[in-house]
Amino acid sequence: MNYSVLVVDDSPIVRKMVCRTLGMAGFDESKILEAGNGREALELLNVSWVDIVLSDIHMPEMNGIEMLEVMAASEALRRVPVIVISTERSTKRIEHMKALGIKGYLTKPFTPEGVRDAVMTALKGTDA
Amino acid sequence: MSLPSIDASRLHRFVARVLEETAFLFASPAEPHLLDDDDVVVELEFFGPTDGYVLVSAAKGLGPALAAGMLGGDEGDPDVLRSAEDAVAEFTNVVTGFILLQLYGTDVVCRLGTPKVMPAAVSRRAELAVHTNLLVDDAHALSVGVCVYYREP
């Protein structure tokens, strides 16, 4: 599948797990970008075409919610679908992220099928 | 107001489930193991209605086993060996999410720190209010403990 995916998590092993899952689901692993926090992700989003973002919440420097708030306020980045993968279970925080426009939410531990299905659902209707 | 508590048997079941779902590792109950200098010890603080931390102590061989299961590689692969501590840290992160759910439910917003890998000698293991001990794949000792306390005014 010819999509560019950005995986955002401060844990390198989680990024590898998500990349591996996407590869098994048929995504081109050479088109997967990685960032270790929200700030790095925004820098990549500003210089690279990204079809979908998979992001953690709890990260140093800039967390996932702060990243979502910047994306929601940006005309250019608002269109990029985001799926959050986190240990977070607070209803209030999840509702806040939904209000910011996330297209999916997965709790850790995640399954490869869960990631694949959430990504495919979020990409439906996009033009990539 | 009393400190929130967590049930040790539920903690045990969830830890075993996380091991199985993230790394295809199977665990059985075990006697407490004495903290070894070679253990990988990870502490993760949380801040909510009460504060506290989760402490995970994993025998040296468990990190590569966890990483191998998470990445689908062999325990001897250089990439797997490089990821061993990170695997224990991520395991701690997932277990902490469950513990916060048990302590506070879904109505409360908590803040998580960053998992800290530390020498066994400086870990605050003696303060743990509840803990569970497991033997993973009949080979690797693992203990997971929780400490909850009120913030100093």
Side-chain angles (χ1 to χ4, degrees):
Chain A
M1 280 176 276
N2 195 30
Y3 292 107
S4 177
V5 185
L6 172 59
V7 179
V8 190
D9 199 301
D10 57 327
S11 166
I13 197 166
V14 174
R15 297 201 301 269
K16 284 179 195 167
M17 288 166 69
V18 174
C19 290
R20 183 170 152 257
T21 295
L22 293 170
M24 287 162 56
F27 287 81
D28 181 353
E29 290 192 53
S30 69
K31 296 187 74 175
I32 300 175
L33 304 170
E34 296 182 36
N37 58 56
R39 191 175 313 284
E40 287 179 17
L42 290 172
E43 287 170 6
L44 281 169
L45 283 162
N46 283 321
V47 296
S48 311
W49 178 267
V50 172
D51 293 300
I52 188 165
V53 176
L54 280 73
S55 180
D56 188 16
I57 298 174
H58 300 286
M59 296 179 287
E61 286 194 52
M62 178 185 276
N63 67 39
I65 292 176
E66 292 166 331
M67 180 194 78
L68 285 168
E69 288 169 345
V70 172
M71 290 179 72
S74 161
E75 191 71 36
L77 300 181
R78 198 180 300 150
R79 60 150 193 95
V80 182
V82 179
I83 293 170
V84 171
I85 305 176
S86 174
T87 58
E88 178 67 55
R89 287 171 170 84
S90 158
T91 308
K92 189 176 173 185
R93 200 169 259 167
I94 293 170
E95 289 303 319
H96 179 51
M97 289 186 290
K98 284 181 180 171
L100 290 170
I102 63 167
K103 299 297 182 194
Y105 186 82
L106 298 170
T107 51
K108 295 178 181 177
F110 60 82
T111 62
E113 295 78 15
V115 172
R116 185 196 59 210
D117 292 349
V119 169
M120 297 314 294
T121 301
L123 285 171
K124 272 183 192 167
T126 64
D127 297 323
Chain B
M1 182 182 168
S2 60
L3 284 168
S5 62
I6 187 165
D7 180 89
S9 63
R10 294 187 77 180
L11 177 62
H12 177 96
R13 285 199 300 276
F14 186 78
V15 170
R17 195 182 114 202
V18 173
L19 285 166
E20 191 175 332
E21 290 185 4
T22 59
F24 309 103
L25 294 172
F26 296 91
S28 53
E31 295 296 317
H33 85 281
L34 296 173
L35 206 55
D36 194 299
D37 285 346
D38 288 341
D39 282 357
V40 176
V41 179
V42 178
E43 181 182 289
L44 179 52
E45 291 184 297
F46 56 83
F47 309 92
T50 51
D51 296 345
Y53 60 89
V54 173
L55 191 74
V56 168
S57 174
K60 189 182 178 185
L62 183 54
L66 266 174
M70 288 175 169
L71 297 173
D74 294 324
E75 290 181 34
D77 285 352
D79 194 32
V80 165
L81 291 171
R82 272 194 300 273
S83 301
E85 284 191 354
D86 192 29
V88 180
E90 179 56 22
F91 169 78
T92 307
N93 187 35
V94 176
V95 167
T96 302
F98 166 79
I99 289 167
L100 293 180
L101 179 67
Q102 297 300 305
L103 290 175
Y104 308 119
T106 57
D107 292 336
V108 171
V109 175
C110 295
R111 185 168 66 81
L112 275 184
T114 303
K116 293 179 202 156
V117 180
M118 59 180 55
V122 301
S123 70
R124 297 184 280 176
R125 195 184 193 197
E127 299 175 1
L128 299 178
V130 61
H131 63 272
T132 186
N133 300 283
L134 306 96
L135 190 64
V136 182
D137 272 8
D138 293 328
H140 311 296
L142 169 70
S143 71
V144 177
V146 188
C147 177
V148 181
Y149 52 85
Y150 287 116
R151 190 175 304 126
E152 294 290 332

